């Protein structure tokens, strides 16, 4: 009875260690340095106030890299990007907006065209 109990406990421990090992291999290295993130947000805000938006963008990116889960870092980055876009410093990223060309409406003098319907 003791041999069976020891065997079951041993197998359970081995399986536990194997699952922990496999789980550890699949983890990616994420850093969540909240202090560094806050520091870069503050630097970015200071550069925005000085109207140095390119450097503010770099600091905002570093804040996100320091803690990708910080909403304030993303909000700061979005704010900097919006200010860059408002100033015209961001190109259109190859987007093409086609202007609609409305057909000219028929005039009353156009006697050959007739309209049907209600």
């Amino acid at each position: 009875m003791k041999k069976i109990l020891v065997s079951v406990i041993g197998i359970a421990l081995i399986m536990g260690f194997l699952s922990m090992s496999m789980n550890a291999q699949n983890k990616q290295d994420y850093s969540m340095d909240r202090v560094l993130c806050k520091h870069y947000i503050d630097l970015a805000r200071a550069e925005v106030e000085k109207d140095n938006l390119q450097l503010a963008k770099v600091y905002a990116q570093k804040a996100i890299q320091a803690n990708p889960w910080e909403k304030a870092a993303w909000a700061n980055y979005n704010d900097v990007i919006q200010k860059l876009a408002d100033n015209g410093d961001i190109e259109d990223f190859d987007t093409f907006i086609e202007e609609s060309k409305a057909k000219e409406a028929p005039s009353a003098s156009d006697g050959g065209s007739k309209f049907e319907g209600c």
Side-chain angles (χ1 to χ4, degrees):
M1 182 72 167
K2 286 184 180 181
K3 285 185 175 183
I4 294 174
L5 184 61
V6 170
S7 299
V8 169
I9 292 174
I11 290 173
L13 286 174
I14 290 172
M15 290 183 68
F17 284 128
L18 286 175
S19 68
M20 284 176 30
S21 174
M22 290 178 67
N23 190 22
Q25 290 175 356
N26 292 332
K27 285 187 180 179
Q28 296 179 356
D29 294 329
Y30 292 115
S31 65
M32 290 180 38
D33 193 344
R34 293 181 182 185
V35 175
L36 186 60
C37 179
K38 175 77 170 106
H39 175 70
Y40 281 127
I41 290 172
D42 293 340
L43 288 174
R45 297 308 327 149
E47 293 303 323
V48 166
E49 289 176 12
K50 295 176 188 174
D51 202 33
N52 189 356
L53 297 177
Q54 294 296 332
L55 186 56
K57 179 183 172 189
V58 171
Y59 285 141
Q61 289 172 337
K62 287 187 175 287
I64 291 171
Q65 291 170 353
N67 187 0
W69 290 276
E70 181 64 43
K71 290 181 183 179
W74 285 102
N76 181 51
Y77 179 78
N78 289 340
D79 182 48
V80 171
I81 294 298
Q82 186 62 51
K83 287 185 186 307
L84 282 167
D86 291 345
N87 289 348
D89 294 335
I90 295 180
E91 297 194 18
D92 292 333
F93 300 107
D94 296 329
T95 58
F96 177 73
I97 301 172
E98 182 178 330
E99 294 183 24
S100 64
K101 296 178 183 176
K103 294 182 180 179
E104 291 183 22
S107 64
S109 64
D110 195 11
S113 58
K114 296 184 179 181
F115 295 98
E116 294 182 15
C118 349

